[in-house]
Amino acid sequence: MYATDDENLVIVSYKDDATAFDGLKKGTITGKGVVNNRMSNRIMQMLEENGVPTHFVKELSERETLVKKVSIVPLEVIIRNISAGSFAKRFGVEEGIDFAEPTIEFSYKNDDLHDPLMNSYHALALGLATKEEINTIKSMAFKINEVMKAYFLTLGVKLVDFKLEFGRLADGTIVLADEISPDTCRFWDAETNEKLDKDRFRRDLGNVEGAYAEMQKRVFGE
Ligand code: TMP
Ligand code: ASP
């Protein structure tokens, strides 16, 4: 993140560095910064068109984007459509179960505590957000899911689950912030269930760059 002359705007610069498991695993995914920057911007613009306010202002280059400055609500908001990852592990079920309704969960953004799972009452008790803010975040997250799920299906991709972060503008307005990319979503090919996201890095599945390139191709047709 870089400051600009305008105190309400900052520049995000996307790198190829990758981490997993609270930074225990480190690596580089060549070209990832470009894919994540461009994909995140494309989706944020689509969400804006669908009435979801975001931090996006302008793509400046392949790796840099101008965004509204926010103070981040310290919650990771996770929506799931299909069982995978920590959900499958926590509840002892296989990956790939289609849910009748999407689920929502919160984690407290705190690396020292390893981002513990919490419910909205815990978030309220700790003063992380107000009741109104939590309600806004919940309804925005489900709306985002509907828009993204339908969009990715047209690209032959199942949106398994994803993580969102929200921020407050100077006037208190809640907007979608952070990024939406193969780092923060699970994408499975709709036909083969092949993983096209960061799980290839997390789980050492190989062809990590290929998965990011494939998602770039599906989104931008190149
Ligand atoms: P999980 O199944 O490991 O809880 O992950 C759920 C979703 O959240 C998945 O799409 C990956 C994303 N995620 C992040 O964006 N950042 C994280 O630190 C973690 C653990 C998951
Ligand atoms: N937040 C995780 C880490 O840096 C990344 C992930 O698993 O997506 O450890």
Side-chain angles (χ1 to χ4, degrees), residues 144-160:
I144 291 164
N145 184 44
E146 291 312 312
V147 174
M148 283 176 51
K149 207 169 55 175
Y151 169 66
F152 282 108
L153 213 49
T154 68
L155 308 178
V157 172
K158 289 186 204 168
L159 178 62
V160 174

Side-chain angles (χ1 to χ4, degrees), residues 19-24 76 115 183 198 202:
T19 62
F21 316 116
D22 292 330
L24 223 60
E76 300 202 344
D115 300 342
D183 276 25
K198 194 179 171 188
R202 295 189 189 99

Side-chain angles (χ1 to χ4, degrees), residues 161-163 178-186 198 202:
D161 57 32
F162 57 96
K163 186 262 305 180
D178 194 53
E179 69 179 79
I180 296 182
S181 71
D183 276 25
T184 65
C185 303
R186 285 196 172 95
K198 194 179 171 188
R202 295 189 189 99

